[in-house]
Amino acid sequence: MSDFRIKTYVLGGVSTNCYLVFREGEKTAVIIDPADNADYLKNKCREFGVKPEAVLLTHAHFDHIMGLDGVLREFPIPVYAQEEEEILLKDAWMLNDPFLNLSGTMGTEQTGISADHLLRDGDVLHFLNREWKVMATPGHTAGSVCYYLPEEKVLFSGDTLFAESLGRTD
C-alpha cells in the first residue's frame, strides 16, 4: 500500500482544483495550482504536519495563481512553470497588463508573479522521492503542462482535462 497522499481542494469562484501532495510520515509536500486561498492551504499544511518544498503550476491563469503570494509569504519556496507561461506571469507584471493572465477580467489583478524555474516538455523533476515528468499540453494556454508520476500512475492535468471531458482551450 502506497504512503503517497493527494489532497484535492476545490477553491475559488470558478472551482479550481488545487492539490497538496505528500507522503505519509514525511514532512515535505508539493502544492499544485494554489488557486485563491493561501490561508486554507497553509492551515492544511499545518494540519498534516508538512512544509511545501515547491509550487508547481499547470498554467498561469488567475484562478490557478491567486493564492501564490500568500503561500510564498509563509513558505519561501520555488515556483515551477512552463517557459511559455512567463508572458502570463512576469510579462503581466512588467507590462502592468492583468488581462494577460485573465485576472483583469475578474477584478483580481495578479501581476507581481514570476517562476523560479522554467520548464520544458520532457523535463523530469524530483520531489517526494518520486519522478515528476513534465508533459507539454498546449491548448488551454501556450505553456500548459501536465505532471505525470509514473510510479504512482497519477497525472495532474490542470485545465487540460476535465472530469469526463476535454479541458478548455482559450
Side-chain angles (χ1 to χ4, degrees), residues 32-33 56-64 80-89 102 119-122 133-148 155-162 167-170:
I32 302 170
D33 293 339
L56 306 182
L57 300 176
T58 59
H59 67 289
H61 277 158
F62 75 98
D63 57 317
H64 291 251
Y80 293 75
Q82 204 271 356
E83 63 187 353
E84 291 189 49
E85 292 302 273
E86 272 293 89
I87 193 165
L88 304 182
L89 295 167
L102 304 181
L119 304 171
R120 293 185 173 168
D121 183 49
K133 294 184 178 183
V134 178
M135 301 169 62
T137 53
H140 186 66
T141 67
S144 290
V145 295
C146 294
Y147 298 100
Y148 178 58
L155 179 78
F156 296 98
S157 65
D159 289 350
T160 299
L161 297 171
F162 288 160
R168 289 186 41 210
T169 57
D170 294 338

Side-chain angles (χ1 to χ4, degrees), residues 2 10 16 19-20 35 40 59 72 74 76 82 84 86-87 92 101 109 115 118 121 124 153 156 158:
S2 177
V10 181
T16 302
Y19 303 95
L20 180 63
Y40 184 85
H59 67 289
L72 295 178
E74 179 80 12
Q82 204 271 356
E84 291 189 49
E86 272 293 89
I87 193 165
N101 59 28
E109 301 195 2
L118 298 176
D121 183 49
V124 177
K153 296 181 176 67
F156 296 98

Side-chain angles (χ1 to χ4, degrees), residues 38-99:
D39 288 338
Y40 184 85
L41 293 172
K42 292 186 282 189
N43 287 335
K44 287 298 179 182
C45 288
R46 282 191 282 275
E47 178 183 327
F48 292 111
V50 296
K51 180 179 182 233
E53 62 180 324
V55 172
L56 306 182
L57 300 176
T58 59
H59 67 289
H61 277 158
F62 75 98
D63 57 317
H64 291 251
I65 63 173
M66 288 182 352
L68 192 54
D69 278 346
V71 167
L72 295 178
R73 275 194 297 276
E74 179 80 12
F75 308 107
I77 55 178
V79 176
Y80 293 75
Q82 204 271 356
E83 63 187 353
E84 291 189 49
E85 292 302 273
E86 272 293 89
I87 193 165
L88 304 182
L89 295 167
K90 188 175 181 181
D91 288 355
W93 173 68
M94 291 176 65
L95 300 172
N96 195 27
D97 186 355
F99 290 92

Side-chain angles (χ1 to χ4, degrees), residues 7 37 67 115 117 125 127 155:
K7 300 297 180 180
N37 196 330
H117 300 279
L125 307 174
F127 299 111
L155 179 78

